[in-house]
């Protein structure tokens, strides 16, 4: 059952599981990546799996690269499902952008860029993607650091990630909005 798998895997990735090992985190991410390929993958969102994966990507600086890559593999799979697309744009966009701007590995870059491309395919997500692109370009042009969080969002802090500055003009132009 996708829901039961998502619930167990999400719990393993939960910030409350302070003693969770890196291998356990990677295993939970890989389990969710496989479950995301099943027909009822929207259950992963309902059971907190998408949120847990975004939290892993958001703290990727403190994790081994294989953990980040495993979480991104699950997110790229989930980003094909419309409900997950909207959740990822609302809560995961500012966690994905630093991975695109300063990737820990070539595979992490490909997975994050693939996720953003999948999100751009949803017409309901394009306005937020375009807004993020404008914010990052404006920051780059003015020489100001990019915003640390998504503009005008008051969601859980674990769902947001500092934007890591506009180091390159990659922004969302990668996904050709």
């Amino acid at each position: 059952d996708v829901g039961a798998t998502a619930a167990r895997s999400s719990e393993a990735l939960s910030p409350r599981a302070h003693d969770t090992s890196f291998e356990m985190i990677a295993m939970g991410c890989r389990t969710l990546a496989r479950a995301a390929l099943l027909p009822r993958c929207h259950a992963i969102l309902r059971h907190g799996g998408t949120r847990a994966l975004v939290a892993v990507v958001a703290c990727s600086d403190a994790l081994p690269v294989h953990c980040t890559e495993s979480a991104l593999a699950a997110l790229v799979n989930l980003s094909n499902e419309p409900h997950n697309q909207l959740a990822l744009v609302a809560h995961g966009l500012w966690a994905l952008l630093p991975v695109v701007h300063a990737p820990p590995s070539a595979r992490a870059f490909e997975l994050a860029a693939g996720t953003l491309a999948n999100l751009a395919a949803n017409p309901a997500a394009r306005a937020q993607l375009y807004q993020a692109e404008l914010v990052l370009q404006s920051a780059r042009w003015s020489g100001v650091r990019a915003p640390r969080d998504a503009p005008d969002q008051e969601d859980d802090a674990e769902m947001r990630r500092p934007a890591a500055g506009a180091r390159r003009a990659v922004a969302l132009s990668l996904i050709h909005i």
Side-chain angles (χ1 to χ4, degrees):
D1 175 52
V2 175
T5 299
R8 283 191 306 273
S9 296
S10 299
E11 185 62 31
L13 301 177
S14 165
R16 293 176 304 224
H18 297 291
D19 59 345
T20 302
S21 72
F22 294 140
E23 290 311 313
M24 189 69 137
I25 291 171
M27 185 174 63
C29 292
R30 287 190 302 269
T31 301
L32 288 173
R34 284 189 297 275
L37 298 173
L38 299 173
R40 293 184 44 223
C41 71
H42 61 278
I44 294 171
L45 175 65
R46 199 172 52 248
H47 290 281
T50 305
R51 184 175 292 264
L53 291 164
V54 169
V56 170
V57 173
C59 61
S60 62
D61 292 342
L63 295 172
V65 173
H66 75 278
C67 291
T68 301
E69 290 174 348
S70 296
L72 288 167
L75 290 178
V76 78
N77 291 346
L78 287 170
S79 67
N80 287 306
E81 197 274 323
H83 292 93
N84 276 295
Q85 286 176 334
L86 297 177
L88 284 170
V89 168
H91 305 292
L93 181 61
W94 295 93
L96 290 166
L97 290 174
V99 178
V100 172
H101 287 281
S105 69
R107 182 167 185 254
F109 173 82
E110 290 171 9
L111 292 167
T115 301
L116 291 173
N118 289 342
L119 298 179
N122 186 330
R126 288 191 184 136
Q128 285 179 285
L129 291 167
Y130 183 67
Q131 179 188 18
E133 181 179 16
L134 291 176
V135 168
L136 292 173
Q137 283 183 0
S138 175
R140 186 176 63 86
W141 290 336
S142 65
V144 175
R145 272 189 92 166
R148 297 190 59 79
D149 293 317
D152 299 322
Q153 281 193 345
E154 297 182 14
D155 296 320
D156 296 339
E158 71 185 50
M159 294 299 294
R160 291 180 279 152
R161 160 73 187 234
R167 290 190 192 112
R168 293 191 273 168
V170 176
L172 295 176
S173 58
L174 286 171
I175 55 177
H176 300 80
I177 295 178

